Amino acid sequence: MAYENIVVETRGKVGLVTLHRPKAMNALNSELIAELTKALDTFDADEKIGCVVITGSEKAFAAGADIKEMSSLTYVDAYKDDFISTWDRVARNRKPVIAAVAGYALGGGCELAMMCDIIIAAENAKFGQPEITLGVMPGAGGTQRLTRFVGKSKAMEMCLTGRMMTAEEAESSGLVSRVLPLDEMLDDALATAAKIADFSLPAVMMTKEAVNRAYETTLAEGTRFERRLFHSLFGTEDQKEGMQAFVEKRSPQFRNR
Ligand code: HXC
């Protein structure tokens, strides 16, 4: 498949997707989402890839769903086609996904970043859910994920007023893991992804699954789920190698990565 709205590259064991609709601030139209889905399917199936980074431009990660595409949508069309339902492919990716965010991450763009496992932001990043200003509301998980990540009061204020959050505020409120100068941000995200991709893939994937479970279940169920996954890792050769390497004071040579 030829990509027209994204650029897809590999950097060693890292898959890099760059959203690329410069004339529309990387607004997310259905074509772009289909391409992103295809790229993620390809990376998930590629044994050589251990982690994925999604980024945009210096000006915009993504300024939301494409308003021009949506403006004439009817209720019946939206309901019948279950509009937006395919977007959560990003959240279902089995290998970790890092959002490397510079500039605007608004509406569906903010929701896309929040579907990723880690958000690393540039100092100029701005996060917001401005749908209310368009007479609608977040539709790709914004009211749910933002509330879990930054708490009710801040999420409510952002969704009800459309106020944008700076990178600094996003870091202090737990939405992003780190903020970096613009010219260092993508390299840092790629280095983080490379580090993750160098560990044992089953351990990485199970860790991701277990952390995500924290958002979906009770503490008792979550810790039981974690323990079962933990037990299963003793069935991998990478566990033997990782622990043996520690004992022998050398670097581990993981097979499954
Ligand atoms: C379609 C968009 C767009 C969008 C920007 N553009 N955002 N096109 N959909 N979401 C287009 C503009 O129309 C313009 O095209 C070009 O990109 C440059 O944008 P400007 O507005 O001229 O740039 P600037 O003045 O720098 O302002 C940047 C901005 C602003 C603050 C990001 O563009 C903006 O407010 N965009 C809309 C943000 C938004 O409301 N997002 C939520 C969308 S709803 P032309 O052709 O005029 O040059 C949503 C729903 C999610 O996401 C629900 C489920 C997915």
Side-chain angles (χ1 to χ4, degrees):
M1 175 173 182
Y3 297 111
E4 285 176 14
N5 301 279
I6 61 176
V7 177
V8 179
E9 299 162 74
T10 54
R11 305 276 177 97
K13 295 173 196 155
V14 176
L16 173 62
V17 180
T18 305
L19 309 178
H20 188 66
R21 289 190 74 207
K23 289 189 182 145
M25 292 271 171
N26 288 336
L28 305 163
N29 62 6
S30 42
E31 232 175 65
L32 186 153
I33 293 295
E35 291 180 10
L36 179 59
T37 297
K38 175 75 188 158
L40 291 177
D41 285 346
T42 307
F43 284 145
D44 245 0
D46 185 343
E47 283 190 0
K48 295 186 290 300
I49 296 295
C51 192
V52 175
V53 174
I54 301 178
T55 195
S57 69
E58 294 192 351
K59 272 196 207 150
F61 177 72
D66 191 312
I67 300 168
K68 292 164 191 169
E69 189 182 69
M70 274 187 302
S71 61
S72 58
L73 198 69
T74 66
Y75 166 69
V76 172
D77 290 337
Y79 179 77
K80 204 158 46 67
D81 300 340
D82 207 4
F83 179 53
I84 300 298
S85 61
T86 57
W87 286 43
D88 78 335
R89 169 65 188 81
V90 181
R92 285 185 289 102
N93 205 63
R94 300 199 66 209
K95 294 170 186 170
V97 184
I98 298 177
V101 176
Y104 297 108
L106 302 179
C110 186
E111 292 170 309
L112 175 65
M114 290 191 291
M115 284 180 207
C116 299
D117 302 302
I118 299 171
I119 304 178
I120 294 179
E123 282 165 349
N124 75 340
K126 284 201 159 62
F127 298 86
Q129 297 291 161
E131 290 90 341
I132 196 77
T133 67
L134 300 167
V136 291
M137 61 181 281
T143 61
Q144 305 304 298
R145 290 196 176 91
L146 191 62
T147 307
R148 281 167 167 79
F149 299 162
V150 306
K152 176 179 165 183
S153 190
K154 214 176 256 295
M156 198 68 98
E157 189 207 340
M158 286 176 69
C159 292
L160 288 178
T161 68
R163 178 176 78 80
M164 291 184 210
M165 204 189 251
T166 62
E168 194 184 2
E169 186 182 359
E171 185 182 27
S172 66
S173 50
L175 179 62
V176 312
S177 69
R178 259 156 345 100
V179 177
L180 290 137
L182 179 58
D183 59 353
E184 293 171 23
M185 188 274 297
L186 183 57
D187 284 345
D188 190 275
L190 288 166
T192 305
K195 180 170 191 177
I196 293 169
D198 231 12
F199 294 124
S200 171
L201 188 58
V204 162
M205 289 170 69
M206 286 188 204
T207 302
K208 164 177 169 148
E209 221 184 325
V211 173
N212 278 333
R213 203 43 90 89
Y215 289 99
E216 291 160 8
T217 191
T218 62
L219 180 61
E221 277 308 314
T223 52
R224 198 203 325 261
F225 179 75
E226 177 195 77
R227 200 161 62 247
R228 292 291 174 252
L229 290 180
F230 174 67
H231 293 161
S232 70
L233 286 171
F234 286 87
T236 65
E237 51 190 355
D238 286 343
Q239 173 270 327
K240 300 285 174 290
E241 168 61 12
M243 294 193 180
Q244 195 61 35
F246 176 83
V247 173
E248 292 169 6
K249 299 185 190 298
R250 60 173 174 83
S251 299
Q253 297 297 317
F254 295 124
R255 285 276 200 85
N256 295 297
R257 61 181 178 189

